[in-house]
């Protein structure tokens, strides 16, 4: 594998699948069990806050029962040992990258373990249910919502991500279906700036034809092997 100086990695639900977290679009996945309009839009939250808070309470609870897998720990090794610039962007709201040992993770779709107060707009670390309407630790109003980006809302830190994409020489997409923009467009952005592009996924994603290279299989096997190769090059 060639030498790279600036790498951007995008991860999706597939990297956490082997840890036991449901993906969204697989058979029996989250979006077959729940309607996106009900649990992942501001309108759904306004209509039925109990349903939405309960949905994310259950996902936060489920998160406490699983742990990182070899794909997460391999990316942590890359973060420690790679001598160039690395930006790890995840669409995942779980904290398995962090628990796998990564210290710099950009959560573009927010985090389950963070609360956003709709009164004071401050984000606070959060690891408890929200259904009982607890007080915001900052302003005390009982107006917390999950700090998760819903459909129709702007993902976090897009400027920083596009700057990194314009400067990277390698873009790697891991465990994402390529169904949701803007993340699905990152490969074209990076390619447009001359980067090599690599997909690591169980199967070809919706945008697989945009990648210059692809490897198909389980993230828990593909990612450690790829990190090994990259660090040896
Ligand atoms: P998806 O559920 O859409 O896609 C998961 C991808 O991971 C699929 O392409 C699977 O083939 C692949 N996959 C499954 N198991 C895998 C494994 N063991 N190893 C490698 N790949 C595997 O999840 P995302 O692409 O992350 O957004 O979904 C993107 C966004 O859509 C999410 O962040 C969420 C969702 O709606 C919001 O809620 C805003």
């Amino acid at each position: 594998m060639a030498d790279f100086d600036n790498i951007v990695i995008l991860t999706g639900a597939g990297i956490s699948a082997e840890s036991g977290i449901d993906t969204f679009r697989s058979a029996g996945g989250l979006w077959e069990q729940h309607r996106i309009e009900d649990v992942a839009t501001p309108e759904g939250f306004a209509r039925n806050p109990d349903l939405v808070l309960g949905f994310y309470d259950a996902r936060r609870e489920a998160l406490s029962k699983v742990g990182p897998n070899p794909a997460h720990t391999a990316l942590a090794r890359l973060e420690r040992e790679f001598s160039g610039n690395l930006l790890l962007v995840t669409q995942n709201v779980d904290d398995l990258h962090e628990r796998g040992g990564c210290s710099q993770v950009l959560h573009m779709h927010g985090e389950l373990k963070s609360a956003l107060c709709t009164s004071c707009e401050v984000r606070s670390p959060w690891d408890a249910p929200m259904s009982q309407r607890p007080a915001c630790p900052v302003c005390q109003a009982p107006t917390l919502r999950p700090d998760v980006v819903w459909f129709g809302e702007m993902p976090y830190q897009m400027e920083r991500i596009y700057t990194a994409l314009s400067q990277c020489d390698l873009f790697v997409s891991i465990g994402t279906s390529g169904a949701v923009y803007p993340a699905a467009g990152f490969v074209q952005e990076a390619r447009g700036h001359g980067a090599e592009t690599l997909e690591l996924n169980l199967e070809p994603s919706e945008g697989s034809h945009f990648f210059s290279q692809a490897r198909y299989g389980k993230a828990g096997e593909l990612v450690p092997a790829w990190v090994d190769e990259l660090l040896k090059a």
Side-chain angles (χ1 to χ4, degrees):
M1 189 166 291
D3 261 344
F4 298 102
D5 296 320
N6 292 290
I7 302 179
V8 176
I9 298 177
L10 172 71
T11 65
I15 198 167
S16 297
E18 288 155 71
S19 292
I21 294 190
D22 285 342
T23 60
F24 294 94
R25 293 174 181 79
S26 54
L30 277 172
W31 295 155
E32 268 189 11
Q33 302 165 41
H34 306 271
R35 282 164 27 114
I36 288 180
E37 304 87 303
D38 290 340
V39 298
T41 62
E43 295 77 16
F45 184 54
R47 242 187 343 260
N48 192 344
D50 286 335
L51 175 80
V52 176
L53 295 175
F55 172 74
Y56 290 98
D57 281 354
R59 292 184 63 198
R60 199 178 304 102
E61 170 77 21
L63 187 53
S64 66
K65 299 190 172 74
V66 302
N69 67 56
H72 298 105
T73 50
L75 292 185
R77 177 179 167 222
L78 184 65
E79 184 191 83
R80 279 193 309 274
E81 297 182 20
F82 179 59
S83 56
N85 296 312
L86 173 68
L87 179 66
L88 175 59
V89 180
T90 188
Q91 299 166 88
N92 298 344
V93 294
D94 66 51
D95 62 350
L96 296 181
H97 282 303
E98 286 87 347
R99 283 199 266 151
C102 282
S103 60
Q104 304 287 326
V105 187
L106 193 164
H107 283 270
M108 64 177 288
H109 288 167
E111 293 173 72
L112 277 175
K113 289 198 176 172
S114 176
L116 172 63
C117 178
T118 57
S119 301
C120 69
E121 296 182 1
V122 175
R123 305 163 75 184
S124 306
W126 195 260
D127 197 12
M130 286 185 192
S131 297
Q132 304 305 317
R133 307 296 198 280
C136 166
V138 178
C139 73
Q140 309 308 319
T143 49
L144 295 178
R145 58 163 272 188
D147 185 13
V148 163
V149 175
W150 287 325
F151 287 88
E153 297 181 326
M154 182 62 83
Y156 292 136
Q157 300 197 50
M158 293 308 294
E159 244 185 75
R160 187 171 158 217
I161 297 171
Y162 280 113
T163 301
L165 288 169
S166 73
Q167 295 168 351
C168 72
D169 43 24
L170 176 65
F171 171 75
V172 187
S173 173
I174 304 173
T176 177
S177 62
V180 175
Y181 282 83
F186 290 174
V187 56
Q188 287 155 280
E189 189 70 21
R191 231 174 105 124
H193 286 94
E196 265 194 45
T197 53
L198 169 67
E199 166 160 274
L200 304 176
N201 207 42
L202 197 57
E203 62 203 357
S205 68
E206 289 186 22
S208 59
H209 50 287
F210 292 122
F211 289 85
S212 51
Q213 293 182 49
R215 299 178 188 182
Y216 298 115
K218 291 183 171 182
E221 292 161 14
L222 293 181
V223 178
W226 169 70
V227 167
D228 239 18
E229 277 174 44
L230 188 84
L231 290 174
K232 276 186 191 140

mmCIF file with all atom_site columns, all heavy atoms in Angstrom, residues 187-206:
data_model
loop_
_atom_site.group_PDB
_atom_site.id
_atom_site.type_symbol
_atom_site.label_atom_id
_atom_site.label_alt_id
_atom_site.label_comp_id
_atom_site.label_asym_id
_atom_site.label_entity_id
_atom_site.label_seq_id
_atom_site.pdbx_PDB_ins_code
_atom_site.Cartn_x
_atom_site.Cartn_y
_atom_site.Cartn_z
_atom_site.occupancy
_atom_site.B_iso_or_equiv
_atom_site.pdbx_formal_charge
_atom_site.auth_seq_id
_atom_site.auth_comp_id
_atom_site.auth_asym_id
_atom_site.auth_atom_id
_atom_site.pdbx_PDB_model_num
ATOM 1   N N   . VAL A 1 187 ? -17.068 10.536 -0.389  1.00 0.00 ? 187 VAL A N   1
ATOM 2   C CA  . VAL A 1 187 ? -16.154 9.849  -1.299  1.00 0.00 ? 187 VAL A CA  1
ATOM 3   C C   . VAL A 1 187 ? -15.926 10.675 -2.571  1.00 0.00 ? 187 VAL A C   1
ATOM 4   O O   . VAL A 1 187 ? -14.794 10.819 -3.031  1.00 0.00 ? 187 VAL A O   1
ATOM 5   C CB  . VAL A 1 187 ? -16.645 8.407  -1.628  1.00 0.00 ? 187 VAL A CB  1
ATOM 6   C CG1 . VAL A 1 187 ? -18.041 8.380  -2.207  1.00 0.00 ? 187 VAL A CG1 1
ATOM 7   C CG2 . VAL A 1 187 ? -15.678 7.716  -2.571  1.00 0.00 ? 187 VAL A CG2 1
ATOM 8   N N   . GLN A 1 188 ? -17.008 11.265 -3.097  1.00 0.00 ? 188 GLN A N   1
ATOM 9   C CA  . GLN A 1 188 ? -16.843 12.071 -4.319  1.00 0.00 ? 188 GLN A CA  1
ATOM 10  C C   . GLN A 1 188 ? -16.057 13.347 -4.033  1.00 0.00 ? 188 GLN A C   1
ATOM 11  O O   . GLN A 1 188 ? -15.276 13.803 -4.860  1.00 0.00 ? 188 GLN A O   1
ATOM 12  C CB  . GLN A 1 188 ? -18.214 12.432 -4.897  1.00 0.00 ? 188 GLN A CB  1
ATOM 13  C CG  . GLN A 1 188 ? -18.888 11.251 -5.548  1.00 0.00 ? 188 GLN A CG  1
ATOM 14  C CD  . GLN A 1 188 ? -20.391 11.431 -5.560  1.00 0.00 ? 188 GLN A CD  1
ATOM 15  O OE1 . GLN A 1 188 ? -21.051 11.197 -4.553  1.00 0.00 ? 188 GLN A OE1 1
ATOM 16  N NE2 . GLN A 1 188 ? -20.926 11.871 -6.681  1.00 0.00 ? 188 GLN A NE2 1
ATOM 17  N N   . GLU A 1 189 ? -16.298 13.902 -2.845  1.00 0.00 ? 189 GLU A N   1
ATOM 18  C CA  . GLU A 1 189 ? -15.571 15.114 -2.454  1.00 0.00 ? 189 GLU A CA  1
ATOM 19  C C   . GLU A 1 189 ? -14.063 14.824 -2.403  1.00 0.00 ? 189 GLU A C   1
ATOM 20  O O   . GLU A 1 189 ? -13.251 15.558 -2.964  1.00 0.00 ? 189 GLU A O   1
ATOM 21  C CB  . GLU A 1 189 ? -16.083 15.541 -1.063  1.00 0.00 ? 189 GLU A CB  1
ATOM 22  C CG  . GLU A 1 189 ? -15.607 16.869 -0.582  1.00 0.00 ? 189 GLU A CG  1
ATOM 23  C CD  . GLU A 1 189 ? -16.215 18.047 -1.345  1.00 0.00 ? 189 GLU A CD  1
ATOM 24  O OE1 . GLU A 1 189 ? -17.286 17.888 -1.968  1.00 0.00 ? 189 GLU A OE1 1
ATOM 25  O OE2 . GLU A 1 189 ? -15.582 19.122 -1.317  1.00 0.00 ? 189 GLU A OE2 1
ATOM 26  N N   . ALA A 1 190 ? -13.700 13.729 -1.718  1.00 0.00 ? 190 ALA A N   1
ATOM 27  C CA  . ALA A 1 190 ? -12.282 13.376 -1.577  1.00 0.00 ? 190 ALA A CA  1
ATOM 28  C C   . ALA A 1 190 ? -11.668 13.051 -2.942  1.00 0.00 ? 190 ALA A C   1
ATOM 29  O O   . ALA A 1 190 ? -10.570 13.508 -3.269  1.00 0.00 ? 190 ALA A O   1
ATOM 30  C CB  . ALA A 1 190 ? -12.137 12.182 -0.627  1.00 0.00 ? 190 ALA A CB  1
ATOM 31  N N   . ARG A 1 191 ? -12.382 12.272 -3.728  1.00 0.00 ? 191 ARG A N   1
ATOM 32  C CA  . ARG A 1 191 ? -11.920 11.912 -5.082  1.00 0.00 ? 191 ARG A CA  1
ATOM 33  C C   . ARG A 1 191 ? -11.711 13.143 -5.945  1.00 0.00 ? 191 ARG A C   1
ATOM 34  O O   . ARG A 1 191 ? -10.734 13.248 -6.688  1.00 0.00 ? 191 ARG A O   1
ATOM 35  C CB  . ARG A 1 191 ? -13.022 11.084 -5.722  1.00 0.00 ? 191 ARG A CB  1
ATOM 36  C CG  . ARG A 1 191 ? -12.603 9.805  -6.311  1.00 0.00 ? 191 ARG A CG  1
ATOM 37  C CD  . ARG A 1 191 ? -13.867 9.136  -6.727  1.00 0.00 ? 191 ARG A CD  1
ATOM 38  N NE  . ARG A 1 191 ? -13.983 9.232  -8.180  1.00 0.00 ? 191 ARG A NE  1
ATOM 39  C CZ  . ARG A 1 191 ? -14.128 8.167  -8.937  1.00 0.00 ? 191 ARG A CZ  1
ATOM 40  N NH1 . ARG A 1 191 ? -14.186 6.979  -8.401  1.00 0.00 ? 191 ARG A NH1 1
ATOM 41  N NH2 . ARG A 1 191 ? -14.219 8.294  -10.232 1.00 0.00 ? 191 ARG A NH2 1
ATOM 42  N N   . GLY A 1 192 ? -12.646 14.081 -5.831  1.00 0.00 ? 192 GLY A N   1
ATOM 43  C CA  . GLY A 1 192 ? -12.564 15.333 -6.602  1.00 0.00 ? 192 GLY A CA  1
ATOM 44  C C   . GLY A 1 192 ? -11.300 16.102 -6.273  1.00 0.00 ? 192 GLY A C   1
ATOM 45  O O   . GLY A 1 192 ? -10.818 16.903 -7.083  1.00 0.00 ? 192 GLY A O   1
ATOM 46  N N   . HIS A 1 193 ? -10.762 15.890 -5.076  1.00 0.00 ? 193 HIS A N   1
ATOM 47  C CA  . HIS A 1 193 ? -9.519  16.564 -4.685  1.00 0.00 ? 193 HIS A CA  1
ATOM 48  C C   . HIS A 1 193 ? -8.315  15.649 -4.880  1.00 0.00 ? 193 HIS A C   1
ATOM 49  O O   . HIS A 1 193 ? -7.226  15.925 -4.376  1.00 0.00 ? 193 HIS A O   1
ATOM 50  C CB  . HIS A 1 193 ? -9.594  17.041 -3.233  1.00 0.00 ? 193 HIS A CB  1
ATOM 51  C CG  . HIS A 1 193 ? -10.484 18.237 -3.061  1.00 0.00 ? 193 HIS A CG  1
ATOM 52  N ND1 . HIS A 1 193 ? -11.812 18.142 -2.723  1.00 0.00 ? 193 HIS A ND1 1
ATOM 53  C CD2 . HIS A 1 193 ? -10.233 19.557 -3.222  1.00 0.00 ? 193 HIS A CD2 1
ATOM 54  C CE1 . HIS A 1 193 ? -12.341 19.354 -2.659  1.00 0.00 ? 193 HIS A CE1 1
ATOM 55  N NE2 . HIS A 1 193 ? -11.397 20.234 -2.964  1.00 0.00 ? 193 HIS A NE2 1
ATOM 56  N N   . GLY A 1 194 ? -8.506  14.526 -5.546  1.00 0.00 ? 194 GLY A N   1
ATOM 57  C CA  . GLY A 1 194 ? -7.365  13.678 -5.921  1.00 0.00 ? 194 GLY A CA  1
ATOM 58  C C   . GLY A 1 194 ? -7.015  12.568 -4.950  1.00 0.00 ? 194 GLY A C   1
ATOM 59  O O   . GLY A 1 194 ? -5.989  11.908 -5.113  1.00 0.00 ? 194 GLY A O   1
ATOM 60  N N   . ALA A 1 195 ? -7.848  12.326 -3.944  1.00 0.00 ? 195 ALA A N   1
ATOM 61  C CA  . ALA A 1 195 ? -7.514  11.287 -2.958  1.00 0.00 ? 195 ALA A CA  1
ATOM 62  C C   . ALA A 1 195 ? -7.790  9.893  -3.515  1.00 0.00 ? 195 ALA A C   1
ATOM 63  O O   . ALA A 1 195 ? -8.656  9.704  -4.362  1.00 0.00 ? 195 ALA A O   1
ATOM 64  C CB  . ALA A 1 195 ? -8.346  11.493 -1.694  1.00 0.00 ? 195 ALA A CB  1
ATOM 65  N N   . GLU A 1 196 ? -7.050  8.924  -3.000  1.00 0.00 ? 196 GLU A N   1
ATOM 66  C CA  . GLU A 1 196 ? -7.418  7.524  -3.224  1.00 0.00 ? 196 GLU A CA  1
ATOM 67  C C   . GLU A 1 196 ? -8.591  7.207  -2.312  1.00 0.00 ? 196 GLU A C   1
ATOM 68  O O   . GLU A 1 196 ? -8.704  7.788  -1.219  1.00 0.00 ? 196 GLU A O   1
ATOM 69  C CB  . GLU A 1 196 ? -6.246  6.601  -2.863  1.00 0.00 ? 196 GLU A CB  1
ATOM 70  C CG  . GLU A 1 196 ? -5.411  6.267  -4.075  1.00 0.00 ? 196 GLU A CG  1
ATOM 71  C CD  . GLU A 1 196 ? -4.468  5.120  -3.818  1.00 0.00 ? 196 GLU A CD  1
ATOM 72  O OE1 . GLU A 1 196 ? -4.890  4.103  -3.223  1.00 0.00 ? 196 GLU A OE1 1
ATOM 73  O OE2 . GLU A 1 196 ? -3.302  5.269  -4.216  1.00 0.00 ? 196 GLU A OE2 1
ATOM 74  N N   . THR A 1 197 ? -9.427  6.283  -2.738  1.00 0.00 ? 197 THR A N   1
ATOM 75  C CA  . THR A 1 197 ? -10.625 6.002  -1.951  1.00 0.00 ? 197 THR A CA  1
ATOM 76  C C   . THR A 1 197 ? -10.795 4.499  -1.783  1.00 0.00 ? 197 THR A C   1
ATOM 77  O O   . THR A 1 197 ? -10.642 3.736  -2.731  1.00 0.00 ? 197 THR A O   1
ATOM 78  C CB  . THR A 1 197 ? -11.875 6.594  -2.643  1.00 0.00 ? 197 THR A CB  1
ATOM 79  O OG1 . THR A 1 197 ? -11.910 6.138  -3.992  1.00 0.00 ? 197 THR A OG1 1
ATOM 80  C CG2 . THR A 1 197 ? -11.847 8.116  -2.631  1.00 0.00 ? 197 THR A CG2 1
ATOM 81  N N   . LEU A 1 198 ? -11.095 4.087  -0.566  1.00 0.00 ? 198 LEU A N   1
ATOM 82  C CA  . LEU A 1 198 ? -11.187 2.662  -0.249  1.00 0.00 ? 198 LEU A CA  1
ATOM 83  C C   . LEU A 1 198 ? -12.457 2.392  0.547   1.00 0.00 ? 198 LEU A C   1
ATOM 84  O O   . LEU A 1 198 ? -12.740 3.082  1.532   1.00 0.00 ? 198 LEU A O   1
ATOM 85  C CB  . LEU A 1 198 ? -9.961  2.260  0.591   1.00 0.00 ? 198 LEU A CB  1
ATOM 86  C CG  . LEU A 1 198 ? -9.976  0.881  1.260   1.00 0.00 ? 198 LEU A CG  1
ATOM 87  C CD1 . LEU A 1 198 ? -9.939  -0.237 0.223   1.00 0.00 ? 198 LEU A CD1 1
ATOM 88  C CD2 . LEU A 1 198 ? -8.785  0.750  2.217   1.00 0.00 ? 198 LEU A CD2 1
ATOM 89  N N   . GLU A 1 199 ? -13.203 1.384  0.111   1.00 0.00 ? 199 GLU A N   1
ATOM 90  C CA  . GLU A 1 199 ? -14.391 0.968  0.853   1.00 0.00 ? 199 GLU A CA  1
ATOM 91  C C   . GLU A 1 199 ? -14.126 -0.370 1.544   1.00 0.00 ? 199 GLU A C   1
ATOM 92  O O   . GLU A 1 199 ? -13.677 -1.325 0.900   1.00 0.00 ? 199 GLU A O   1
ATOM 93  C CB  . GLU A 1 199 ? -15.572 0.820  -0.108  1.00 0.00 ? 199 GLU A CB  1
ATOM 94  C CG  . GLU A 1 199 ? -16.757 0.088  0.492   1.00 0.00 ? 199 GLU A CG  1
ATOM 95  C CD  . GLU A 1 199 ? -18.055 0.351  -0.247  1.00 0.00 ? 199 GLU A CD  1
ATOM 96  O OE1 . GLU A 1 199 ? -18.696 1.350  0.088   1.00 0.00 ? 199 GLU A OE1 1
ATOM 97  O OE2 . GLU A 1 199 ? -18.408 -0.413 -1.162  1.00 0.00 ? 199 GLU A OE2 1
ATOM 98  N N   . LEU A 1 200 ? -14.425 -0.429 2.852   1.00 0.00 ? 200 LEU A N   1
ATOM 99  C CA  . LEU A 1 200 ? -14.379 -1.688 3.602   1.00 0.00 ? 200 LEU A CA  1
ATOM 100 C C   . LEU A 1 200 ? -15.788 -1.930 4.123   1.00 0.00 ? 200 LEU A C   1
ATOM 101 O O   . LEU A 1 200 ? -16.268 -1.203 4.999   1.00 0.00 ? 200 LEU A O   1
ATOM 102 C CB  . LEU A 1 200 ? -13.392 -1.583 4.778   1.00 0.00 ? 200 LEU A CB  1
ATOM 103 C CG  . LEU A 1 200 ? -11.953 -1.190 4.460   1.00 0.00 ? 200 LEU A CG  1
ATOM 104 C CD1 . LEU A 1 200 ? -11.139 -1.044 5.751   1.00 0.00 ? 200 LEU A CD1 1
ATOM 105 C CD2 . LEU A 1 200 ? -11.292 -2.213 3.546   1.00 0.00 ? 200 LEU A CD2 1
ATOM 106 N N   . ASN A 1 201 ? -16.464 -2.912 3.570   1.00 0.00 ? 201 ASN A N   1
ATOM 107 C CA  . ASN A 1 201 ? -17.870 -3.120 3.931   1.00 0.00 ? 201 ASN A CA  1
ATOM 108 C C   . ASN A 1 201 ? -18.240 -4.583 3.716   1.00 0.00 ? 201 ASN A C   1
ATOM 109 O O   . ASN A 1 201 ? -17.542 -5.310 3.002   1.00 0.00 ? 201 ASN A O   1
ATOM 110 C CB  . ASN A 1 201 ? -18.760 -2.223 3.056   1.00 0.00 ? 201 ASN A CB  1
ATOM 111 C CG  . ASN A 1 201 ? -20.069 -1.852 3.725   1.00 0.00 ? 201 ASN A CG  1
ATOM 112 O OD1 . ASN A 1 201 ? -20.097 -1.548 4.916   1.00 0.00 ? 201 ASN A OD1 1
ATOM 113 N ND2 . ASN A 1 201 ? -21.169 -1.873 2.978   1.00 0.00 ? 201 ASN A ND2 1
ATOM 114 N N   . LEU A 1 202 ? -19.342 -4.975 4.333   1.00 0.00 ? 202 LEU A N   1
ATOM 115 C CA  . LEU A 1 202 ? -19.799 -6.354 4.171   1.00 0.00 ? 202 LEU A CA  1
ATOM 116 C C   . LEU A 1 202 ? -20.168 -6.642 2.718   1.00 0.00 ? 202 LEU A C   1
ATOM 117 O O   . LEU A 1 202 ? -19.961 -7.743 2.215   1.00 0.00 ? 202 LEU A O   1
ATOM 118 C CB  . LEU A 1 202 ? -21.021 -6.571 5.075   1.00 0.00 ? 202 LEU A CB  1
ATOM 119 C CG  . LEU A 1 202 ? -21.436 -7.989 5.380   1.00 0.00 ? 202 LEU A CG  1
ATOM 120 C CD1 . LEU A 1 202 ? -20.292 -8.779 6.008   1.00 0.00 ? 202 LEU A CD1 1
ATOM 121 C CD2 . LEU A 1 202 ? -22.643 -7.986 6.329   1.00 0.00 ? 202 LEU A CD2 1
ATOM 122 N N   . GLU A 1 203 ? -20.720 -5.632 2.054   1.00 0.00 ? 203 GLU A N   1
ATOM 123 C CA  . GLU A 1 203 ? -21.183 -5.789 0.667   1.00 0.00 ? 203 GLU A CA  1
ATOM 124 C C   . GLU A 1 203 ? -21.021 -4.440 -0.026  1.00 0.00 ? 203 GLU A C   1
ATOM 125 O O   . GLU A 1 203 ? -20.843 -3.432 0.659   1.00 0.00 ? 203 GLU A O   1
ATOM 126 C CB  . GLU A 1 203 ? -22.662 -6.189 0.676   1.00 0.00 ? 203 GLU A CB  1
ATOM 127 C CG  . GLU A 1 203 ? -23.500 -5.111 1.322   1.00 0.00 ? 203 GLU A CG  1
ATOM 128 C CD  . GLU A 1 203 ? -24.830 -5.585 1.891   1.00 0.00 ? 203 GLU A CD  1
ATOM 129 O OE1 . GLU A 1 203 ? -25.154 -6.768 1.746   1.00 0.00 ? 203 GLU A OE1 1
ATOM 130 O OE2 . GLU A 1 203 ? -25.510 -4.743 2.475   1.00 0.00 ? 203 GLU A OE2 1
ATOM 131 N N   . PRO A 1 204 ? -21.083 -4.389 -1.356  1.00 0.00 ? 204 PRO A N   1
ATOM 132 C CA  . PRO A 1 204 ? -20.961 -3.096 -2.019  1.00 0.00 ? 204 PRO A CA  1
ATOM 133 C C   . PRO A 1 204 ? -22.035 -2.116 -1.524  1.00 0.00 ? 204 PRO A C   1
ATOM 134 O O   . PRO A 1 204 ? -23.203 -2.484 -1.423  1.00 0.00 ? 204 PRO A O   1
ATOM 135 C CB  . PRO A 1 204 ? -21.192 -3.436 -3.502  1.00 0.00 ? 204 PRO A CB  1
ATOM 136 C CG  . PRO A 1 204 ? -20.820 -4.875 -3.618  1.00 0.00 ? 204 PRO A CG  1
ATOM 137 C CD  . PRO A 1 204 ? -21.198 -5.505 -2.309  1.00 0.00 ? 204 PRO A CD  1
ATOM 138 N N   . SER A 1 205 ? -21.614 -0.902 -1.179  1.00 0.00 ? 205 SER A N   1
ATOM 139 C CA  . SER A 1 205 ? -22.566 0.104  -0.702  1.00 0.00 ? 205 SER A CA  1
ATOM 140 C C   . SER A 1 205 ? -23.255 0.734  -1.907  1.00 0.00 ? 205 SER A C   1
ATOM 141 O O   . SER A 1 205 ? -22.905 0.455  -3.054  1.00 0.00 ? 205 SER A O   1
ATOM 142 C CB  . SER A 1 205 ? -21.825 1.188  0.081   1.00 0.00 ? 205 SER A CB  1
ATOM 143 O OG  . SER A 1 205 ? -21.007 1.917  -0.825  1.00 0.00 ? 205 SER A OG  1
ATOM 144 N N   . GLU A 1 206 ? -24.193 1.641  -1.631  1.00 0.00 ? 206 GLU A N   1
ATOM 145 C CA  . GLU A 1 206 ? -24.900 2.296  -2.745  1.00 0.00 ? 206 GLU A CA  1
ATOM 146 C C   . GLU A 1 206 ? -23.955 3.114  -3.614  1.00 0.00 ? 206 GLU A C   1
ATOM 147 O O   . GLU A 1 206 ? -24.192 3.309  -4.793  1.00 0.00 ? 206 GLU A O   1
ATOM 148 C CB  . GLU A 1 206 ? -26.014 3.204  -2.198  1.00 0.00 ? 206 GLU A CB  1
ATOM 149 C CG  . GLU A 1 206 ? -27.146 2.391  -1.623  1.00 0.00 ? 206 GLU A CG  1
ATOM 150 C CD  . GLU A 1 206 ? -28.345 3.224  -1.202  1.00 0.00 ? 206 GLU A CD  1
ATOM 151 O OE1 . GLU A 1 206 ? -28.519 4.358  -1.710  1.00 0.00 ? 206 GLU A OE1 1
ATOM 152 O OE2 . GLU A 1 206 ? -29.102 2.735  -0.354  1.00 0.00 ? 206 GLU A OE2 1
#
